[in-house]
Amino acid sequence: MDAILKSQAEHLAREMGTRVTTLDDLNGLMRAMMTTARERMLNTEMDVHLGRRTETTVTDNPTPDAPTTNATERVSAAPKSRRNGHSQKTVSGDLGDLQLRTPRDRNGTFEPQLVATGPRRLDGFDEKILALYAKGLTTRDIQDIVKDLYGVEVSPARVSEITTDLDAEVTAWRTRRLEGVWPIVYLDGIVVHVRGENGRVSPHTMYVAIGVNLQGRKELLGLWLSEAEGPKFWLSCLTDLKSRGVSDMFVVCVDGLSGLPEAIRAAFPRTKVQLCIVHRVRAARKYVTDSDSREVAADLKTIYPSATVLEAEEARETFATKWDAKYPTIVRPWRATWADIVTRFEFPGAIRKAIYTTNALESVNRVIRTFTRNRKPYPNAGRARKLVYLAIHEASKTWTMPIVGWKAARNHFAIVFEGRMPTRPPN
């Protein structure tokens, strides 16, 4: 905004401040100003189209050989025509519905760029509806909020029309190429309820894969849906990642599903598997009475913070001596999966901290749960994938920083996985 225009805007704002007494008055005045401004711009477009005015384009980076003026002029090359009245068009935007008078020409060749012929919504309005949808709001909720904020009636059909455009986006996202090397990958599944073709609502598992890239930032790698969680389907998910370009994963963190470590090693034989310690502790406390729960958790905590595998094994046996008689179902799973519990001890502290839990997925699971609580069961599998993708995509906007301690972890990864870590510097 140049100085003259800024001064005029400030003067207008002072005038409005003395005349406007309510928020509705202000919104009404802003709508009138927006309508007038857009109609003026549409008429200017028509003048250019008819050759009655030159279209000025400001040169951002003039070269030394360019003319001394900062603008170049272009006369419209459209065939001779003339104005032919106006057509009414209603468009929705942040300020509500705007009634615009769009100019027409006799030849019917005028195609306005400011407000295209087809769309009935201004730029940015659909994104706001999608953002509300991604927060888990129902169509009725969105209708009420948009009506209160913008004074615009949004029908369920319009919301469906807006979200339908997501289908192509989701398909492109699900088939996109991925980077070849991922130092850390987290795998988890969460139960959602989906209505099947027979009309029955049944539990399905939404499989989620999140990777930490070479820059230490989280990225959602894939979403898959199945009626049950199992290692066979996980293997198909991992195969899908391979087909999209993933060639190596250093460490995969999982919650302890039986058979999942074997599926990971079948797809990526050199990958290390780390069971989530937090999930192990939670699983153990399910078998413990409330009176013993705190003490059992405190004793388990003596195992995984150990400095070495030997110390961890000694702490495990001490725990077993104390609790095995009373709770034999606790120690047995720890012994059975011990090889994948102590993977973290193969790495320095910076990496241990990053892989000992799948908490990186907890925020994603919370988004899905919140979204599910606010909605009825998903009407079908395709809609479930689309809506969960939208919810996570909204949440991932906060994934802008590397995970804590990433620089130290990356340096250790480069040493531990020498020859497998790409040599190109991180972006």
Side-chain angles (χ1 to χ4, degrees):
M1 183 183 295
D2 59 33
I4 296 177
L5 186 58
K6 183 177 181 181
S7 176
Q8 292 174 340
E10 291 174 349
H11 176 74
L12 180 60
R14 287 193 294 270
E15 287 289 322
M16 292 168 56
T18 61
R19 298 175 182 272
V20 173
T21 58
T22 67
L23 184 59
D24 286 341
D25 290 342
L26 178 61
N27 288 336
L29 183 57
M30 293 297 293
R31 278 196 295 271
M33 291 174 58
M34 182 67 74
T35 299
T36 300
R38 287 183 177 272
E39 288 181 347
R40 178 71 63 86
M41 295 169 72
L42 285 167
N43 282 311
T44 300
E45 284 193 66
M46 175 60 82
D47 286 343
V48 173
H49 176 72
L50 296 177
R52 298 175 182 175
R53 180 179 300 192
T54 58
E55 181 179 18
T56 301
T57 305
V58 177
T59 304
D60 295 329
N61 299 301
T63 62
D65 298 330
T68 55
T69 180
N70 287 333
T72 59
E73 292 186 342
R74 179 176 64 84
V75 178
S76 173
K80 293 294 183 180
S81 183
R82 59 191 175 90
R83 288 178 177 268
N84 187 31
H86 296 79
S87 59
Q88 295 288 338
K89 182 169 184 175
T90 301
V91 294
S92 301
D94 293 351
L95 297 175
D97 285 343
L98 303 180
Q99 306 292 332
L100 299 181
R101 297 174 72 246
T102 304
R104 299 190 303 246
D105 69 321
R106 178 70 65 178
N107 293 342
T109 56
F110 177 53
E111 293 290 342
Q113 301 300 310
L114 176 64
V115 181
T117 304
R120 296 283 176 176
R121 296 178 296 276
L122 299 177
D123 290 344
F125 191 68
D126 289 4
E127 286 73 10
K128 289 179 173 59
I129 291 180
L130 287 175
L132 293 173
Y133 208 55
K135 298 296 184 184
L137 299 180
T138 64
T139 300
R140 179 65 64 183
D141 294 333
I142 294 173
Q143 287 179 281
D144 293 341
I145 290 175
V146 172
K147 176 66 175 176
D148 291 342
L149 291 179
Y150 306 121
V152 177
E153 293 284 356
V154 181
S155 66
R158 176 174 288 190
V159 175
S160 177
E161 175 189 340
I162 293 171
T163 58
T164 296
D165 295 337
L166 280 173
D167 291 336
E169 179 182 334
V170 173
T171 299
W173 175 82
R174 293 183 64 201
T175 57
R176 76 196 190 284
R177 296 293 295 177
L178 297 171
E179 292 183 20
V181 177
W182 295 84
I184 305 174
V185 174
Y186 304 95
L187 301 178
D188 200 3
I190 184 170
V191 176
V192 297
H193 290 83
V194 179
R195 190 177 304 279
E197 295 181 358
N198 58 3
R200 291 185 178 182
V201 176
S202 60
H204 286 57
T205 299
M206 184 69 72
Y207 295 76
V208 183
I210 290 182
V212 176
N213 62 24
L214 295 171
Q215 292 75 46
R217 295 183 179 87
K218 293 186 295 183
E219 181 179 333
L220 182 63
L221 303 182
L223 287 174
W224 305 268
L225 189 68
S226 177
E227 290 193 24
E229 184 176 10
K232 287 185 178 179
F233 192 82
W234 269 123
L235 181 57
S236 69
C237 299
L238 294 165
T239 303
D240 177 55
L241 293 179
K242 290 184 69 174
S243 68
R244 288 162 50 207
V246 177
S247 59
D248 198 2
M249 300 185 294
F250 296 163
V251 182
V252 175
C253 308
V254 299
D255 63 0
L257 172 69
S258 177
L260 179 53
E262 289 73 20
I264 294 170
R265 282 187 275 265
F268 296 91
R270 298 190 297 173
T271 294
K272 302 287 186 179
V273 177
Q274 172 64 57
L275 294 181
C276 175
I277 302 298
V278 174
H279 278 80
R280 296 289 86 200
V281 174
R282 288 176 185 169
R285 294 179 71 174
K286 291 180 180 179
Y287 300 97
V288 179
T289 61
D290 291 342
S291 59
D292 290 335
S293 182
R294 287 176 177 266
E295 188 176 357
V296 167
D299 289 344
L300 284 173
K301 196 173 181 179
T302 64
I303 302 175
Y304 52 87
S306 301
T308 65
V309 175
L310 182 59
E311 288 183 15
E313 289 176 347
E314 291 176 352
R316 182 196 66 191
E317 293 310 310
T318 300
F319 177 88
T321 300
K322 180 177 179 180
W323 294 106
D324 208 11
K326 190 172 185 179
Y327 300 113
T329 54
I330 295 180
V331 178
R332 192 179 306 131
W334 280 70
R335 285 175 173 155
T337 59
W338 188 248
D340 293 326
I341 290 177
V342 298
T343 298
R344 60 193 301 268
F345 292 109
E346 300 178 27
F347 303 103
I351 299 179
R352 291 186 190 185
K353 190 173 182 179
I355 66 174
Y356 92 102
T357 176
T358 57
N359 277 350
L361 277 169
E362 290 302 314
S363 61
V364 174
N365 290 344
R366 280 195 297 270
V367 169
I368 298 175
R369 291 190 184 98
T370 299
F371 195 70
T372 303
R373 278 199 302 268
N374 292 340
R375 307 189 64 83
K376 296 178 181 178
Y378 297 103
N380 54 59
R383 185 71 62 84
R385 277 190 292 266
K386 180 172 69 175
L387 299 183
V388 171
Y389 160 80
L390 182 61
I392 297 178
H393 180 71
E394 186 71 14
S396 67
K397 292 178 181 179
T398 62
W399 298 351
T400 57
M401 299 297 292
I403 63 175
V404 177
W406 175 249
K407 286 188 176 180
R410 179 185 168 85
N411 288 331
H412 288 305
F413 273 123
I415 296 172
V416 175
F417 295 96
E418 184 178 5
R420 293 166 62 183
M421 175 73 81
T423 55
R424 65 177 177 83
N427 295 329

